[in-house]
């Protein structure tokens, strides 16, 4: 009972402190809303320049390692295909961020059975051959996944998550020391943070990337409805998913429903691009 009371006291201290510390962070609007209307303001405690530099160094190290393993850009046709699609999407990023087309973009294909793709802060992209080959993706589907990953970078989700973790970690450590609950109580507070803030925020990031991604694809001349079939394929490869409330991604049903609505919203952009 005493530990339970201390846990709830720690949770209260951490919650109040977290609100105060987040209020002191820089509030930014990383992107314009676009047709899909993503306009949530974000609080940042980490410098964008600092994170971009760190990401650039990490990317360079990874690319060098992949080259040494002979796993970098081995299939010329795949590389040409991925870069062509990515470049068309990058050309549309100015709708959300006027500065984005001037980023130091890099696009590489890594030979790996993993079904994966990502875009680091500042525009450092990697697409794995497992995604291309195991899913047998169409160009429209490949545009959906690359557009989704580019959208994470445009919205600076990595910077936002890093800011949240720095603030939350500091608050929980301070609260644990003040209340003397020890490592068990601190761990309980960390789980509370993840359940109330961390995971829901991660799911909101995925939804934002889905919505911006379909608009980028539509503007670049790729069918935005392909995002629905893409994530259906991804779900089949991924096996059984955890419950929505424990996952950093929306459920398959929630995601398909949301993508259906927003793909339809940007269809006029796709038709215009196809007729140009």
């Amino acid at each position: 009972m005493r530990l339970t009371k201390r846990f709830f006291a720690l949770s209260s201290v951490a919650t109040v402190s977290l609100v105060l510390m987040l209020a002191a962070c820089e509030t930014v609007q990383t992107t314009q809303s676009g047709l899909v209307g993503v306009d949530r303001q974000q609080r940042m405690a980490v410098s964008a320049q600092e994170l971009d530099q760190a990401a650039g160094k990490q990317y360079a190290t990874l690319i060098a390692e992949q080259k040494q393993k002979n796993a970098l850009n081995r299939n010329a046709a795949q590389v040409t295909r991925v870069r062509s699609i990515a470049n068309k999407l990058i050309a549309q990023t100015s709708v959300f961020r006027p500065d984005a087309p001037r980023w130091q973009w890099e696009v590489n294909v890594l030979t790996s059975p993993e079904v994966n793709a990502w875009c680091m802060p500042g525009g450092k992209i990697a697409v794995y051959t497992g995604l291309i080959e195991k899913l047998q993706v169409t160009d429209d589907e490949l545009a959906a996944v690359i557009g989704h990953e580019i959208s994470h970078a445009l919205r600076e989700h990595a910077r936002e998550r890093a800011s949240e973790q720095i603030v939350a970690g500091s608050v929980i450590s301070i609260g644990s020391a003040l209340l003397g609950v020890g490592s068990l109580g601190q761990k309980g507070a960390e789980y509370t943070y993840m359940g109330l803030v961390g995971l829901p925020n991660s799911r909101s990031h995925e939804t934002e990337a889905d919505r911006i991604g379909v608009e980028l694809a539509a503007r670049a001349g790729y069918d935005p409805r392909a995002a629905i079939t893409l994530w259906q394929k991804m779900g089949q490869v991924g096996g059984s998913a955890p419950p929505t409330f424990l996952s950093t991604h929306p459920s398959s049903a929630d995601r398909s429903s949301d993508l259906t609505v927003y793909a339809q919203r940007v269809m006029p952009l796709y038709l215009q691009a196809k007729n140009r």
Side-chain angles (χ1 to χ4, degrees), residues 105-167:
W105 294 90
E106 293 185 50
V107 183
N108 290 288
V109 178
L110 308 183
T111 299
S112 168
E114 188 175 351
V115 177
N116 197 13
W118 41 262
C119 180
M120 285 184 174
K124 310 302 184 186
I125 299 172
V127 175
Y128 291 41
T129 55
L131 183 145
I132 298 170
E133 296 165 359
K134 289 184 179 181
L135 300 188
Q136 292 293 298
V137 287
T138 65
D139 283 0
D140 292 322
E141 290 171 340
L142 195 50
V145 70
I146 297 173
H148 174 92
E149 298 305 327
I150 287 174
S151 300
H152 279 306
L154 296 177
R155 286 291 288 166
E156 299 187 49
H157 285 150
R159 181 184 170 202
E160 188 176 12
R161 285 195 302 272
S163 299
E164 290 168 356
Q165 290 165 4
I166 287 171
V167 172

Short mmCIF file of all heavy atoms in Angstrom, two decimals, residues 105-167:
data_model
loop_
_atom_site.label_atom_id
_atom_site.label_comp_id
_atom_site.label_asym_id
_atom_site.label_seq_id
_atom_site.Cartn_x
_atom_site.Cartn_y
_atom_site.Cartn_z
N TRP A 105 19.68 15.71 -49.47
CA TRP A 105 19.03 14.41 -49.56
C TRP A 105 19.98 13.33 -50.06
O TRP A 105 20.82 13.59 -50.95
CB TRP A 105 17.83 14.48 -50.52
CG TRP A 105 16.72 15.36 -50.04
CD1 TRP A 105 16.57 16.70 -50.29
CD2 TRP A 105 15.61 14.98 -49.24
NE1 TRP A 105 15.43 17.17 -49.69
CE2 TRP A 105 14.81 16.14 -49.03
CE3 TRP A 105 15.18 13.78 -48.67
CZ2 TRP A 105 13.63 16.13 -48.29
CZ3 TRP A 105 14.01 13.76 -47.93
CH2 TRP A 105 13.25 14.92 -47.75
N GLU A 106 19.85 12.15 -49.52
CA GLU A 106 20.59 10.99 -50.00
C GLU A 106 19.64 9.80 -50.02
O GLU A 106 18.85 9.61 -49.09
CB GLU A 106 21.79 10.67 -49.11
CG GLU A 106 22.89 11.73 -49.13
CD GLU A 106 24.10 11.31 -48.31
OE1 GLU A 106 24.58 10.17 -48.52
OE2 GLU A 106 24.56 12.10 -47.47
N VAL A 107 19.71 9.00 -51.08
CA VAL A 107 18.82 7.84 -51.23
C VAL A 107 19.64 6.63 -51.62
O VAL A 107 20.33 6.64 -52.65
CB VAL A 107 17.74 8.10 -52.30
CG1 VAL A 107 16.77 6.91 -52.37
CG2 VAL A 107 16.98 9.40 -52.01
N ASN A 108 19.60 5.59 -50.79
CA ASN A 108 20.36 4.38 -51.07
C ASN A 108 19.51 3.14 -50.82
O ASN A 108 18.56 3.17 -50.03
CB ASN A 108 21.62 4.33 -50.19
CG ASN A 108 22.64 5.37 -50.62
OD1 ASN A 108 23.28 5.23 -51.66
ND2 ASN A 108 22.82 6.41 -49.82
N VAL A 109 19.88 2.06 -51.52
CA VAL A 109 19.20 0.78 -51.37
C VAL A 109 20.15 -0.20 -50.69
O VAL A 109 21.28 -0.39 -51.15
CB VAL A 109 18.75 0.23 -52.74
CG1 VAL A 109 18.08 -1.14 -52.58
CG2 VAL A 109 17.80 1.21 -53.42
N LEU A 110 19.69 -0.81 -49.60
CA LEU A 110 20.51 -1.73 -48.83
C LEU A 110 20.02 -3.16 -49.04
O LEU A 110 18.82 -3.43 -48.95
CB LEU A 110 20.45 -1.38 -47.34
CG LEU A 110 20.75 0.08 -46.97
CD1 LEU A 110 20.73 0.26 -45.46
CD2 LEU A 110 22.09 0.52 -47.55
N THR A 111 20.95 -4.05 -49.34
CA THR A 111 20.60 -5.45 -49.52
C THR A 111 20.40 -6.11 -48.17
O THR A 111 21.34 -6.28 -47.39
CB THR A 111 21.70 -6.19 -50.31
OG1 THR A 111 21.85 -5.59 -51.59
CG2 THR A 111 21.35 -7.66 -50.48
N SER A 112 19.15 -6.44 -47.88
CA SER A 112 18.79 -7.04 -46.59
C SER A 112 17.42 -7.68 -46.74
O SER A 112 16.55 -7.13 -47.42
CB SER A 112 18.74 -5.97 -45.49
OG SER A 112 18.13 -6.47 -44.32
N PRO A 113 17.20 -8.83 -46.08
CA PRO A 113 15.88 -9.46 -46.15
C PRO A 113 14.82 -8.71 -45.34
O PRO A 113 13.63 -9.01 -45.45
CB PRO A 113 16.13 -10.85 -45.55
CG PRO A 113 17.30 -10.66 -44.63
CD PRO A 113 18.17 -9.64 -45.32
N GLU A 114 15.25 -7.73 -44.55
CA GLU A 114 14.31 -7.00 -43.70
C GLU A 114 13.35 -6.16 -44.55
O GLU A 114 13.76 -5.51 -45.51
CB GLU A 114 15.10 -6.08 -42.77
CG GLU A 114 14.27 -5.40 -41.71
CD GLU A 114 15.12 -4.59 -40.73
OE1 GLU A 114 16.36 -4.71 -40.77
OE2 GLU A 114 14.52 -3.83 -39.95
N VAL A 115 12.08 -6.20 -44.18
CA VAL A 115 11.06 -5.38 -44.86
C VAL A 115 11.04 -4.03 -44.15
O VAL A 115 10.37 -3.85 -43.14
CB VAL A 115 9.67 -6.06 -44.80
CG1 VAL A 115 8.62 -5.17 -45.45
CG2 VAL A 115 9.72 -7.42 -45.49
N ASN A 116 11.78 -3.08 -44.71
CA ASN A 116 11.97 -1.83 -43.98
C ASN A 116 12.40 -0.70 -44.92
O ASN A 116 12.93 -0.94 -46.01
CB ASN A 116 13.02 -2.01 -42.88
CG ASN A 116 12.98 -0.91 -41.83
OD1 ASN A 116 12.01 -0.15 -41.76
ND2 ASN A 116 14.00 -0.82 -41.02
N ALA A 117 12.16 0.51 -44.48
CA ALA A 117 12.65 1.73 -45.13
C ALA A 117 12.60 2.81 -44.08
O ALA A 117 11.80 2.74 -43.15
CB ALA A 117 11.78 2.10 -46.33
N TRP A 118 13.45 3.82 -44.19
CA TRP A 118 13.43 4.91 -43.22
C TRP A 118 14.06 6.16 -43.82
O TRP A 118 14.75 6.10 -44.85
CB TRP A 118 14.14 4.54 -41.91
CG TRP A 118 15.43 3.76 -42.03
CD1 TRP A 118 15.58 2.41 -41.89
CD2 TRP A 118 16.74 4.27 -42.30
NE1 TRP A 118 16.90 2.05 -42.06
CE2 TRP A 118 17.64 3.18 -42.30
CE3 TRP A 118 17.25 5.55 -42.53
CZ2 TRP A 118 19.00 3.32 -42.54
CZ3 TRP A 118 18.61 5.70 -42.76
CH2 TRP A 118 19.48 4.59 -42.77
N CYS A 119 13.78 7.27 -43.16
CA CYS A 119 14.36 8.55 -43.55
C CYS A 119 14.81 9.26 -42.28
O CYS A 119 13.99 9.58 -41.42
CB CYS A 119 13.35 9.41 -44.32
SG CYS A 119 14.00 11.03 -44.85
N MET A 120 16.09 9.49 -42.15
CA MET A 120 16.64 10.17 -40.99
C MET A 120 16.37 11.67 -41.08
O MET A 120 16.04 12.19 -42.15
CB MET A 120 18.15 9.94 -40.92
CG MET A 120 18.57 8.57 -40.45
SD MET A 120 20.39 8.51 -40.30
CE MET A 120 20.58 6.89 -39.57
N PRO A 121 16.53 12.39 -39.97
CA PRO A 121 16.44 13.86 -40.02
C PRO A 121 17.37 14.41 -41.08
O PRO A 121 18.49 13.94 -41.26
CB PRO A 121 16.89 14.27 -38.60
CG PRO A 121 16.50 13.11 -37.74
CD PRO A 121 16.75 11.90 -38.59
N GLY A 122 16.88 15.40 -41.80
CA GLY A 122 17.71 16.03 -42.84
C GLY A 122 17.63 15.36 -44.18
O GLY A 122 18.26 15.81 -45.14
N GLY A 123 16.87 14.24 -44.31
CA GLY A 123 16.65 13.65 -45.62
C GLY A 123 17.56 12.51 -46.02
O GLY A 123 17.81 12.30 -47.21
N LYS A 124 18.03 11.72 -45.06
CA LYS A 124 18.89 10.57 -45.36
C LYS A 124 18.03 9.30 -45.42
O LYS A 124 17.54 8.82 -44.41
CB LYS A 124 19.98 10.42 -44.29
CG LYS A 124 20.75 11.70 -43.99
CD LYS A 124 21.43 12.27 -45.23
CE LYS A 124 22.27 13.50 -44.86
NZ LYS A 124 22.83 14.17 -46.05
N ILE A 125 17.85 8.77 -46.64
CA ILE A 125 16.88 7.71 -46.89
C ILE A 125 17.57 6.38 -47.17
O ILE A 125 18.60 6.33 -47.84
CB ILE A 125 15.99 8.07 -48.09
CG1 ILE A 125 15.19 9.36 -47.79
CG2 ILE A 125 15.05 6.93 -48.46
CD1 ILE A 125 14.42 9.89 -48.99
N ALA A 126 16.98 5.30 -46.67
CA ALA A 126 17.40 3.94 -47.01
C ALA A 126 16.17 3.09 -47.27
O ALA A 126 15.19 3.16 -46.52
CB ALA A 126 18.24 3.34 -45.90
N VAL A 127 16.23 2.30 -48.33
CA VAL A 127 15.17 1.34 -48.64
C VAL A 127 15.82 -0.03 -48.70
O VAL A 127 16.86 -0.21 -49.35
CB VAL A 127 14.48 1.66 -49.99
CG1 VAL A 127 13.46 0.58 -50.35
CG2 VAL A 127 13.81 3.03 -49.92
N TYR A 128 15.23 -1.02 -48.03
CA TYR A 128 15.79 -2.35 -47.98
C TYR A 128 15.22 -3.21 -49.11
O TYR A 128 14.05 -3.11 -49.45
CB TYR A 128 15.48 -3.01 -46.63
CG TYR A 128 16.21 -2.39 -45.45
CD1 TYR A 128 16.36 -1.01 -45.32
CD2 TYR A 128 16.72 -3.18 -44.45
CE1 TYR A 128 17.01 -0.44 -44.24
CE2 TYR A 128 17.38 -2.64 -43.35
CZ TYR A 128 17.52 -1.25 -43.25
OH TYR A 128 18.16 -0.70 -42.17
N THR A 129 16.07 -4.07 -49.65
CA THR A 129 15.62 -4.92 -50.77
C THR A 129 14.51 -5.86 -50.33
O THR A 129 13.68 -6.27 -51.15
CB THR A 129 16.79 -5.74 -51.34
OG1 THR A 129 17.42 -6.50 -50.29
CG2 THR A 129 17.83 -4.82 -51.99
N GLY A 130 14.48 -6.23 -49.04
CA GLY A 130 13.42 -7.10 -48.55
C GLY A 130 12.05 -6.50 -48.76
O GLY A 130 11.08 -7.22 -49.07
N LEU A 131 11.92 -5.20 -48.61
CA LEU A 131 10.64 -4.52 -48.82
C LEU A 131 10.24 -4.61 -50.29
O LEU A 131 9.08 -4.90 -50.62
CB LEU A 131 10.74 -3.07 -48.38
CG LEU A 131 9.45 -2.23 -48.47
CD1 LEU A 131 9.39 -1.24 -47.32
CD2 LEU A 131 9.36 -1.48 -49.79
N ILE A 132 11.20 -4.39 -51.17
CA ILE A 132 10.91 -4.39 -52.60
C ILE A 132 10.54 -5.79 -53.09
O ILE A 132 9.55 -5.98 -53.82
CB ILE A 132 12.12 -3.87 -53.40
CG1 ILE A 132 12.44 -2.42 -53.01
CG2 ILE A 132 11.88 -3.99 -54.91
CD1 ILE A 132 13.76 -1.91 -53.57
N GLU A 133 11.32 -6.77 -52.65
CA GLU A 133 11.19 -8.12 -53.20
C GLU A 133 10.12 -8.95 -52.51
O GLU A 133 9.34 -9.65 -53.17
CB GLU A 133 12.55 -8.82 -53.13
CG GLU A 133 13.60 -8.14 -54.01
CD GLU A 133 15.03 -8.58 -53.71
OE1 GLU A 133 15.20 -9.42 -52.79
OE2 GLU A 133 15.96 -8.09 -54.38
N LYS A 134 10.06 -8.89 -51.18
CA LYS A 134 9.07 -9.71 -50.47
C LYS A 134 7.64 -9.22 -50.68
O LYS A 134 6.71 -10.01 -50.75
CB LYS A 134 9.40 -9.75 -48.98
CG LYS A 134 10.64 -10.56 -48.64
CD LYS A 134 10.84 -10.63 -47.13
CE LYS A 134 12.06 -11.47 -46.79
NZ LYS A 134 12.28 -11.57 -45.32
N LEU A 135 7.49 -7.89 -50.76
CA LEU A 135 6.15 -7.34 -50.94
C LEU A 135 5.77 -7.19 -52.41
O LEU A 135 4.61 -6.91 -52.72
CB LEU A 135 6.03 -5.98 -50.26
CG LEU A 135 6.26 -5.92 -48.75
CD1 LEU A 135 5.91 -4.55 -48.21
CD2 LEU A 135 5.45 -6.98 -48.03
N GLN A 136 6.76 -7.34 -53.31
CA GLN A 136 6.50 -7.14 -54.74
C GLN A 136 5.77 -5.81 -54.96
O GLN A 136 4.71 -5.76 -55.61
CB GLN A 136 5.69 -8.31 -55.30
CG GLN A 136 6.45 -9.63 -55.33
CD GLN A 136 7.62 -9.60 -56.31
OE1 GLN A 136 7.44 -9.43 -57.51
NE2 GLN A 136 8.84 -9.77 -55.80
N VAL A 137 6.33 -4.75 -54.42
CA VAL A 137 5.66 -3.46 -54.43
C VAL A 137 5.57 -2.87 -55.83
O VAL A 137 6.50 -2.97 -56.64
CB VAL A 137 6.36 -2.44 -53.50
CG1 VAL A 137 6.11 -2.77 -52.04
CG2 VAL A 137 7.85 -2.34 -53.79
N THR A 138 4.44 -2.24 -56.10
CA THR A 138 4.29 -1.44 -57.32
C THR A 138 4.98 -0.09 -57.10
O THR A 138 5.36 0.25 -55.97
CB THR A 138 2.81 -1.20 -57.62
OG1 THR A 138 2.25 -0.39 -56.55
CG2 THR A 138 2.04 -2.51 -57.71
N ASP A 139 5.13 0.69 -58.15
CA ASP A 139 5.71 2.02 -58.00
C ASP A 139 4.85 2.88 -57.08
O ASP A 139 5.37 3.66 -56.28
CB ASP A 139 5.85 2.71 -59.37
CG ASP A 139 7.03 2.17 -60.17
OD1 ASP A 139 7.73 1.27 -59.67
OD2 ASP A 139 7.24 2.66 -61.30
N ASP A 140 3.52 2.74 -57.20
CA ASP A 140 2.62 3.52 -56.34
C ASP A 140 2.81 3.14 -54.87
O ASP A 140 2.82 4.01 -53.99
CB ASP A 140 1.17 3.28 -56.75
CG ASP A 140 0.85 3.86 -58.12
OD1 ASP A 140 1.36 4.95 -58.44
OD2 ASP A 140 0.09 3.22 -58.87
N GLU A 141 2.98 1.85 -54.60
CA GLU A 141 3.18 1.40 -53.22
C GLU A 141 4.54 1.83 -52.69
O GLU A 141 4.69 2.21 -51.52
CB GLU A 141 3.02 -0.11 -53.14
CG GLU A 141 1.59 -0.58 -53.33
CD GLU A 141 1.46 -2.08 -53.48
OE1 GLU A 141 2.47 -2.74 -53.82
OE2 GLU A 141 0.35 -2.60 -53.26
N LEU A 142 5.55 1.79 -53.56
CA LEU A 142 6.88 2.22 -53.14
C LEU A 142 6.86 3.72 -52.84
O LEU A 142 7.50 4.19 -51.88
CB LEU A 142 7.89 1.90 -54.24
CG LEU A 142 9.38 1.96 -53.88
CD1 LEU A 142 9.70 1.19 -52.61
CD2 LEU A 142 10.21 1.45 -55.05
N ALA A 143 6.11 4.48 -53.64
CA ALA A 143 5.96 5.92 -53.37
C ALA A 143 5.27 6.14 -52.04
O ALA A 143 5.59 7.08 -51.30
CB ALA A 143 5.16 6.58 -54.50
N ALA A 144 4.32 5.27 -51.69
CA ALA A 144 3.60 5.41 -50.42
C ALA A 144 4.54 5.23 -49.24
O ALA A 144 4.51 6.02 -48.29
CB ALA A 144 2.46 4.40 -50.35
N VAL A 145 5.39 4.21 -49.29
CA VAL A 145 6.27 3.97 -48.14
C VAL A 145 7.38 5.02 -48.07
O VAL A 145 7.71 5.51 -46.97
CB VAL A 145 6.86 2.54 -48.16
CG1 VAL A 145 7.87 2.34 -49.27
CG2 VAL A 145 7.48 2.21 -46.81
N ILE A 146 7.94 5.42 -49.20
CA ILE A 146 8.99 6.45 -49.17
C ILE A 146 8.40 7.79 -48.76
O ILE A 146 8.99 8.54 -47.98
CB ILE A 146 9.71 6.56 -50.54
CG1 ILE A 146 10.43 5.25 -50.87
CG2 ILE A 146 10.71 7.71 -50.53
CD1 ILE A 146 11.03 5.20 -52.26
N GLY A 147 7.20 8.10 -49.26
CA GLY A 147 6.52 9.34 -48.88
C GLY A 147 6.22 9.37 -47.39
O GLY A 147 6.36 10.41 -46.74
N HIS A 148 5.83 8.23 -46.84
CA HIS A 148 5.57 8.13 -45.40
C HIS A 148 6.84 8.44 -44.61
O HIS A 148 6.82 9.21 -43.64
CB HIS A 148 5.06 6.72 -45.08
CG HIS A 148 4.91 6.44 -43.62
ND1 HIS A 148 3.73 6.64 -42.94
CD2 HIS A 148 5.80 5.99 -42.69
CE1 HIS A 148 3.90 6.30 -41.66
NE2 HIS A 148 5.14 5.91 -41.49
N GLU A 149 7.96 7.84 -45.02
CA GLU A 149 9.21 8.04 -44.28
C GLU A 149 9.72 9.48 -44.44
O GLU A 149 10.23 10.07 -43.47
CB GLU A 149 10.27 7.04 -44.75
CG GLU A 149 9.89 5.58 -44.52
CD GLU A 149 9.56 5.27 -43.06
OE1 GLU A 149 10.15 5.90 -42.16
OE2 GLU A 149 8.70 4.40 -42.83
N ILE A 150 9.60 10.05 -45.62
CA ILE A 150 9.97 11.45 -45.83
C ILE A 150 9.15 12.36 -44.92
O ILE A 150 9.67 13.34 -44.36
CB ILE A 150 9.78 11.85 -47.31
CG1 ILE A 150 10.86 11.22 -48.18
CG2 ILE A 150 9.77 13.37 -47.48
CD1 ILE A 150 10.67 11.44 -49.67
N SER A 151 7.88 12.01 -44.74
CA SER A 151 6.99 12.82 -43.91
C SER A 151 7.44 12.87 -42.46
O SER A 151 7.30 13.89 -41.78
CB SER A 151 5.56 12.29 -44.01
OG SER A 151 5.10 12.33 -45.34
N HIS A 152 7.99 11.77 -41.95
CA HIS A 152 8.55 11.78 -40.59
C HIS A 152 9.65 12.83 -40.48
O HIS A 152 9.75 13.55 -39.48
CB HIS A 152 9.12 10.41 -40.24
CG HIS A 152 8.11 9.40 -39.80
ND1 HIS A 152 7.21 9.63 -38.78
CD2 HIS A 152 7.86 8.13 -40.24
CE1 HIS A 152 6.46 8.56 -38.59
NE2 HIS A 152 6.82 7.63 -39.48
N ALA A 153 10.49 12.90 -41.51
CA ALA A 153 11.58 13.88 -41.49
C ALA A 153 11.05 15.31 -41.60
O ALA A 153 11.54 16.22 -40.92
CB ALA A 153 12.57 13.59 -42.62
N LEU A 154 10.06 15.52 -42.46
CA LEU A 154 9.49 16.86 -42.62
C LEU A 154 8.89 17.35 -41.31
O LEU A 154 9.05 18.52 -40.94
CB LEU A 154 8.40 16.85 -43.71
CG LEU A 154 8.84 16.53 -45.14
CD1 LEU A 154 7.63 16.50 -46.07
CD2 LEU A 154 9.87 17.54 -45.64
N ARG A 155 8.21 16.47 -40.60
CA ARG A 155 7.56 16.82 -39.33
C ARG A 155 8.54 16.80 -38.15
O ARG A 155 8.16 17.14 -37.03
CB ARG A 155 6.41 15.86 -39.05
CG ARG A 155 5.17 16.09 -39.88
CD ARG A 155 4.48 17.39 -39.54
NE ARG A 155 3.81 17.35 -38.24
CZ ARG A 155 3.37 18.43 -37.62
NH1 ARG A 155 3.56 19.63 -38.12
NH2 ARG A 155 2.75 18.33 -36.45
N GLU A 156 9.77 16.37 -38.40
CA GLU A 156 10.81 16.30 -37.35
C GLU A 156 10.34 15.48 -36.15
O GLU A 156 10.52 15.84 -34.99
CB GLU A 156 11.23 17.71 -36.90
CG GLU A 156 11.83 18.54 -38.02
CD GLU A 156 12.41 19.86 -37.54
OE1 GLU A 156 13.17 19.87 -36.56
OE2 GLU A 156 12.08 20.90 -38.16
N HIS A 157 9.75 14.33 -36.45
CA HIS A 157 9.26 13.47 -35.39
C HIS A 157 10.38 12.94 -34.51
O HIS A 157 10.20 12.77 -33.30
CB HIS A 157 8.47 12.30 -35.99
CG HIS A 157 7.11 12.70 -36.49
ND1 HIS A 157 6.48 12.07 -37.55
CD2 HIS A 157 6.25 13.66 -36.06
CE1 HIS A 157 5.30 12.62 -37.75
NE2 HIS A 157 5.13 13.59 -36.87
N ALA A 158 11.55 12.66 -35.10
CA ALA A 158 12.67 12.17 -34.30
C ALA A 158 13.11 13.23 -33.29
O ALA A 158 13.41 12.91 -32.13
CB ALA A 158 13.85 11.81 -35.21
N ARG A 159 13.13 14.48 -33.71
CA ARG A 159 13.47 15.58 -32.80
C ARG A 159 12.43 15.71 -31.70
O ARG A 159 12.77 15.95 -30.53
CB ARG A 159 13.58 16.87 -33.61
CG ARG A 159 13.96 18.10 -32.80
CD ARG A 159 13.94 19.32 -33.69
NE ARG A 159 14.08 20.55 -32.93
CZ ARG A 159 13.69 21.75 -33.37
NH1 ARG A 159 13.13 21.86 -34.56
NH2 ARG A 159 13.84 22.82 -32.62
N GLU A 160 11.17 15.56 -32.06
CA GLU A 160 10.10 15.67 -31.07
C GLU A 160 10.19 14.54 -30.05
O GLU A 160 10.04 14.76 -28.84
CB GLU A 160 8.74 15.66 -31.77
CG GLU A 160 7.58 15.97 -30.85
CD GLU A 160 6.26 16.06 -31.58
OE1 GLU A 160 6.20 15.67 -32.77
OE2 GLU A 160 5.28 16.53 -30.96
N ARG A 161 10.44 13.31 -30.52
CA ARG A 161 10.55 12.18 -29.59
C ARG A 161 11.75 12.35 -28.67
O ARG A 161 11.67 12.08 -27.47
CB ARG A 161 10.68 10.86 -30.37
CG ARG A 161 9.38 10.39 -30.98
CD ARG A 161 9.47 8.93 -31.40
NE ARG A 161 10.54 8.70 -32.36
CZ ARG A 161 10.40 8.81 -33.67
NH1 ARG A 161 9.23 9.18 -34.19
NH2 ARG A 161 11.41 8.56 -34.47
N ALA A 162 12.87 12.80 -29.23
CA ALA A 162 14.06 13.02 -28.41
C ALA A 162 13.79 14.07 -27.34
O ALA A 162 14.22 13.94 -26.19
CB ALA A 162 15.23 13.45 -29.29
N SER A 163 13.07 15.12 -27.71
CA SER A 163 12.73 16.19 -26.76
C SER A 163 11.86 15.65 -25.64
O SER A 163 12.08 15.93 -24.46
CB SER A 163 12.01 17.33 -27.48
OG SER A 163 12.82 17.90 -28.48
N GLU A 164 10.85 14.86 -26.00
CA GLU A 164 9.95 14.28 -25.00
C GLU A 164 10.70 13.37 -24.04
O GLU A 164 10.48 13.40 -22.82
CB GLU A 164 8.84 13.50 -25.69
CG GLU A 164 7.84 14.36 -26.43
CD GLU A 164 6.93 13.54 -27.33
OE1 GLU A 164 7.15 12.31 -27.41
OE2 GLU A 164 6.02 14.10 -27.94
N GLN A 165 11.61 12.56 -24.58
CA GLN A 165 12.34 11.61 -23.75
C GLN A 165 13.30 12.31 -22.81
O GLN A 165 13.47 11.90 -21.65
CB GLN A 165 13.07 10.61 -24.65
CG GLN A 165 12.13 9.65 -25.35
CD GLN A 165 12.78 8.91 -26.50
OE1 GLN A 165 13.97 9.05 -26.75
NE2 GLN A 165 11.98 8.11 -27.21
N ILE A 166 13.93 13.39 -23.28
CA ILE A 166 14.83 14.15 -22.42
C ILE A 166 14.05 14.75 -21.25
O ILE A 166 14.46 14.67 -20.09
CB ILE A 166 15.54 15.25 -23.23
CG1 ILE A 166 16.59 14.64 -24.15
CG2 ILE A 166 16.20 16.28 -22.30
CD1 ILE A 166 17.19 15.61 -25.13
N VAL A 167 12.93 15.38 -21.57
CA VAL A 167 12.12 16.03 -20.54
C VAL A 167 11.57 14.99 -19.57
O VAL A 167 11.66 15.14 -18.34
CB VAL A 167 10.97 16.84 -21.17
CG1 VAL A 167 10.01 17.35 -20.11
CG2 VAL A 167 11.53 18.02 -21.97
#
